Amino acid sequence: MTDIVTSRLPHWDGTRVWILARPLTGFAESFAQYFVEVAPGGGSRRPEPAEDAQGAFFVMEGKLTIELSGVRHELGPGGFAYLPPGADYTVANGCDAPARFHWFRKAYDVVAGLDLPEAIITSVAEIAPTPMPDAEGRWETTRFIDPADLRHDMHVTIVTLAPGALIPFMETHVMEHGLYVLQGRGVYRLNQDWVEVGPGDFMWLRAFCPQACYGIGSEPFRYLLYKDVNRHPKLRF
């Protein structure tokens, strides 16, 4: 996260972007994930260039104003917004400090008979975490999107493990992941390696990467997670 690796984007003012993940043939193909910094007075009136793209924003620092169909929403740290494809929105930082946030982009996978999902504006503080199986309440997931709503083809969640807690099995599945560590330290199994990770570390997992983790240290281990969901695998490209 240094200045020499930032990108600038068309129609974004006072903004610099670290592109953490992008569709890449032979690797993770479903999404792009950006870490974005918008200076005071910066933002965009044309944030999304692709008509079929959906987006999700998670605010890390500062305040981000999203104006959606003429209604202003101010998101502070922990704030979340999901914008479906075709959403009419703008993004701005009207405060005197930089706004820093994650931006997830994915081409929406249309399904006949399913409507597009609606926009979602919420925050971590408004959502009760869901305890995960076989973990005695020490492994929880904060879900910004209803997992039973099949209109959605991507989820963004926050996973929290108490100190010493673990995911009690090795996962291997079709979903692609972007994982950004928010708090604490953990040891993550990636393929055959165990890797210690902490705040600011990013992991980019292709489909079927064996994975597991456990928290270490004295505070909860929390990470922001992207995954693709609820669709048949494509049989040809």
Side-chain angles (χ1 to χ4, degrees):
M1 302 289 272
T2 61
D3 292 349
I4 61 171
V5 296
T6 55
S7 296
R8 305 286 177 174
L9 299 177
H11 306 300
W12 282 80
D13 299 320
T15 300
R16 59 180 184 168
V17 177
W18 290 263
I19 298 178
L20 304 179
R22 49 159 286 189
L24 188 65
T25 299
F27 196 69
E29 298 187 341
S30 71
F31 76 109
Q33 183 170 345
Y34 305 171
F35 188 94
V36 184
E37 181 183 86
V38 178
S44 177
R45 301 197 63 79
R46 298 169 60 184
E48 177 51 66
E51 293 183 358
D52 63 344
Q54 60 195 316
F57 294 84
F58 178 78
V59 179
M60 298 284 293
E61 301 175 50
K63 293 183 180 179
L64 187 69
T65 299
I66 295 179
E67 185 170 317
L68 175 64
S69 299
V71 179
R72 292 167 61 89
H73 304 273
E74 190 171 275
L75 304 180
F80 175 84
Y82 168 79
L83 290 312
D88 178 16
Y89 73 97
T90 63
V91 178
N93 177 12
C95 299
D96 57 3
R100 299 184 176 98
F101 55 93
H102 286 265
W103 182 16
F104 301 87
R105 299 177 63 231
K106 179 183 184 299
Y108 184 73
D109 193 350
V110 175
V111 175
L114 290 181
D115 294 332
L116 291 177
E118 297 91 9
I120 298 171
I121 307 290
T122 186
S123 71
V124 171
E126 298 178 60
I127 301 171
T130 300
M132 300 300 287
D134 304 321
E136 301 177 345
R138 294 167 56 78
W139 168 29
E140 298 180 324
T141 299
T142 301
R143 295 187 168 113
F144 297 111
I145 297 170
D146 181 0
D149 188 344
L150 294 182
R151 296 177 301 170
H152 287 279
D153 64 358
M154 60 175 270
H155 285 172
V156 177
T157 66
I158 292 177
V159 177
T160 303
L161 287 94
L166 52 81
I167 295 178
F169 44 79
M170 184 76 73
E171 295 185 39
T172 306
H173 51 62
V174 70
M175 292 176 286
E176 299 175 344
H177 282 340
L179 297 93
Y180 185 92
V181 180
L182 300 170
Q183 178 188 1
R185 301 200 68 81
V187 179
Y188 221 95
R189 171 72 177 261
L190 301 168
N191 293 311
Q192 302 303 314
D193 299 319
W194 289 95
V195 181
E196 185 174 336
V197 293
D201 285 339
F202 179 72
M203 292 167 276
W204 186 15
L205 280 62
R206 67 179 297 166
F208 303 113
C209 172
Q211 57 189 279
C213 73
Y214 58 91
I216 59 176
S218 60
E219 61 179 328
F221 175 48
R222 301 174 68 239
Y223 56 86
L224 183 67
L225 171 69
Y226 161 90
K227 58 184 176 181
D228 53 308
V229 296
N230 297 340
R231 294 296 186 267
H232 289 286
K234 290 181 172 59
L235 301 183
R236 54 176 68 90
F237 288 91

